[in-house]
Amino acid sequence: MKIKLKRLLLVPLIVSVTGCANLGVEPWERDLLAKKEMALTSSPIDATFDDHIYFSKEASSGGKGFGGGGCGCN
Amino acid sequence: MQLAKKLGSKKPNREKVNVKLALTVAATALLGAPCFVNAAETSALNAWSFDTAVLYYAEVDRVTATEAMLGASKTFDDGSVLSLKFTLDVLTGTSPNGAVAQPTTQTFTRPSGNGEYQTPANKTPIYDGFRDRRVQFNGQWTQPLAANYTVSGGVHISKEYDYLSLGVNGSLAYEFNNKNSTFSIGSSYFKDTYNPVGGIPKPLTVMITGSGDEDVDDPTRLGKDDTKSSADIMFGVTQVINRRLIMAFNYSYAKVGGYLNDPYKRLSRVNANGEAVDYVYESRPDSREKQSVFTQAKYNLGGALLKNTMLNNTVLDISYRYMWDDWQINSHTIDSRFYIPIGINSYLEPHFRVYQQSAAKFYQPFLNEPDSLPTYASADLRIGEMTAYTLGLKYGTFVNGGDELSFRLEYYTQRLTNAGFNEPGILSRQALYESVNAIIAQVTYSF
């Protein structure tokens, strides 16, 4: 089950790498993508605070960014 | 908070400029560069941007933390970006020490070895002398290289009373397919030093009570400090799907080694009736390998159907992370935010997060006394079985010609569950998995 799930999660990654030539927009179609709220991390301060809270309260960290050391809270 | 309030008020613009100017001078001075303010005032003010934020985190009957952050960044003419970030934390309150509740009063030695504290009957044992301060500095330099290549490197320093963390990171990103696709690879390395109050406890030794002395010959101590290292590597792909949708996929691998115990956590050893006989210090493996896959989608809602409605240009931000490690912890995280514009100057952002993790293979809420001691055991609820929820709302508004003021209020709750352990005798009537409930409040001002 776990292995199947991992394989399932890799599918979009592979599709993205191999099929990306057919995706995307022209430079003049980036009006919405250029907005701050469309950035993958649109509120870096919030993300930093959240990472610190969840790192100190849960057993997982990282994934979106690095999940290394940083404090003695975990 | 004061700063944010001050800047958010209707004070003359000159005061705001002076604050920004002062921060600009400070940031420039940190770089070791001369700062001719009068001559360069206008250009410098245009080049630097600042984020100030204060966060308040309070658990019911547990930890309270106040965290202040100041970030400064500057984009240079060649597209390079320098980011500096200072953080100050103050933590106070109480923290569970790992032992189980009992129908009688329990006595524990303080982590320093000097003195004792007592836990009343039927209460989760907590150490109430928890107090710490942390200062942190992060610096990051991002530099465009040849066409479509960008490199980035950064440093991290964090110091608290009993902990020092030093880290470096580096990454390379390559854009292709008309900049609709990005492939990136990054790595980080941290070296941490733990210097706990009272020294490093010897794993699985019995806590001594009533001695009142701390010295280097204490048989329950291994030394004054120990170290931990973490190395991460991450591969990422981002892909613009269409005008309204962008997606990201990451794979991460992390290897952590060294001292991975929490020196302040213990386990109760109980007899067949669930009564605590003694307490031993926890013992975790000295290595951990973690892997995770992460995917995120950001989608701008809109089109004819939503035109002229409040939801037009709402941005959905949904991500999922699956993490697994060789401690047999698996976790699922779903995080979602909805950016809803209100008029032309404000927005609301509801936030909902669900997190679920399985227990580490050596997690045990207590040890049974007749059994021989296992090699590894920890009663730290943070590596136990849990489901956590976050529900929050953020309100942001643009003031003074583009500065952003925002308020965030969230509720975080952790539901800890029994991972299949029998609760003998009196333990069946004790609360061994108390929920954690916390409020998170934040004010941010960016200018």
Side-chain angles (χ1 to χ4, degrees), chain B residues 87-405:
Chain B
T87 310
L88 177 67
D89 294 352
V90 179
L91 287 90
T92 57
T94 62
S95 183
N97 71 8
V100 290
Q102 295 280 284
T104 53
T105 300
Q106 299 184 80
T107 302
F108 299 93
T109 305
R110 292 191 179 281
S112 66
N114 294 322
E116 297 173 338
Y117 62 96
Q118 292 191 320
T119 298
N122 304 315
K123 295 286 185 188
T124 300
I126 50 176
Y127 172 53
D128 62 1
F130 181 48
R131 178 180 293 271
D132 209 347
R133 286 181 189 161
R134 186 175 71 99
V135 290
Q136 180 179 318
F137 168 75
N138 290 81
Q140 194 78 25
W141 179 267
T142 303
Q143 171 86 47
L145 281 183
N148 301 326
Y149 286 91
T150 305
V151 290
S152 185
V155 295
H156 162 101
I157 303 168
S158 171
K159 177 75 181 96
E160 52 203 285
Y161 179 72
D162 57 359
Y163 203 85
L164 171 68
S165 176
L166 304 173
V168 292
N169 71 73
S171 61
L172 173 69
Y174 170 61
E175 292 177 305
F176 57 102
N177 183 25
N178 207 15
K179 292 187 183 291
N180 284 300
S181 309
T182 306
F183 175 76
S184 60
I185 178 170
S187 183
S188 72
Y189 181 78
F190 286 84
K191 186 77 174 179
D192 299 355
T193 304
Y194 219 146
N195 185 16
V197 175
I200 300 288
K202 193 174 180 182
L204 299 177
T205 56
V206 176
M207 183 190 77
I208 298 172
T209 53
S211 69
D213 291 322
E214 176 203 5
D215 58 53
V216 293
D217 296 328
D218 186 335
T220 67
R221 303 290 148 166
L222 287 174
K224 291 285 185 194
D225 54 43
D226 210 337
T227 59
K228 170 176 112 175
S229 60
S230 315
D232 287 45
I233 187 162
M234 188 166 77
F235 302 92
V237 173
T238 64
Q239 177 64 48
V240 172
I241 307 296
N242 58 39
R243 188 168 158 260
R244 294 184 179 276
L245 177 62
I246 181 169
M247 297 190 75
F249 309 95
N250 291 345
Y251 165 79
S252 304
Y253 171 85
K255 173 107 178 161
V256 190
Y259 184 73
L260 307 185
N261 291 328
D262 184 329
Y264 304 124
K265 298 288 187 202
R266 304 131 198 234
L267 296 98
S268 302
R269 272 205 304 181
V270 303
N271 62 22
N273 193 35
E275 295 157 334
V277 177
D278 54 25
Y279 311 94
V280 299
Y281 295 101
E282 72 163 29
S283 171
R284 304 188 193 194
D286 61 3
S287 73
R288 183 182 179 195
E289 283 184 34
K290 300 189 290 182
Q291 298 180 75
S292 69
V293 285
F294 169 87
T295 182
Q296 179 185 12
K298 294 206 76 159
Y299 184 65
N300 183 308
L301 291 173
L305 194 62
L306 295 173
K307 198 172 180 183
N308 301 324
T309 72
M310 188 176 143
L311 291 177
N312 193 31
N313 284 327
T314 289
V315 176
L316 306 184
D317 179 348
I318 297 176
S319 66
Y320 169 76
R321 175 187 64 182
Y322 176 65
M323 191 224 68
W324 68 101
D325 68 8
D326 61 353
W327 288 4
Q328 292 179 8
I329 298 175
N330 302 318
S331 74
H332 303 271
T333 311
I334 297 172
D335 207 342
S336 57
R337 287 181 166 81
F338 307 89
Y339 179 96
I340 305 169
I342 303 173
I344 55 170
N345 273 332
S346 304
Y347 64 90
L348 276 177
E349 192 176 69
H351 175 211
F352 182 59
R353 178 182 184 270
V354 185
Y355 173 80
Q356 190 171 47
Q357 79 177 33
S358 63
K361 60 186 175 186
F362 54 87
Y363 169 80
Q364 287 188 255
F366 51 85
L367 296 168
N368 294 303
E369 193 231 358
D371 300 342
S372 58
L373 287 171
T375 308
Y376 304 115
S378 172
D380 190 342
L381 291 165
R382 295 172 301 182
I383 56 170
E385 187 178 277
M386 72 163 80
T387 304
Y389 304 93
T390 307
L391 190 61
L393 183 65
K394 180 178 176 181
Y395 169 75
T397 185
F398 295 94
V399 295
N400 293 334
D403 298 351
E404 184 176 349
L405 174 66

Side-chain angles (χ1 to χ4, degrees), chain A residues 20 31 39 57-58 60 62 73, chain B residues 59 177 239 331 355 382 412:
Chain A
C20 55
D31 54 334
K57 301 305 297 180
E58 300 168 352
S60 308
C73 44
Chain B
E59 294 174 3
N177 183 25
Q239 177 64 48
S331 74
Y355 173 80
R382 295 172 301 182
Y412 175 66

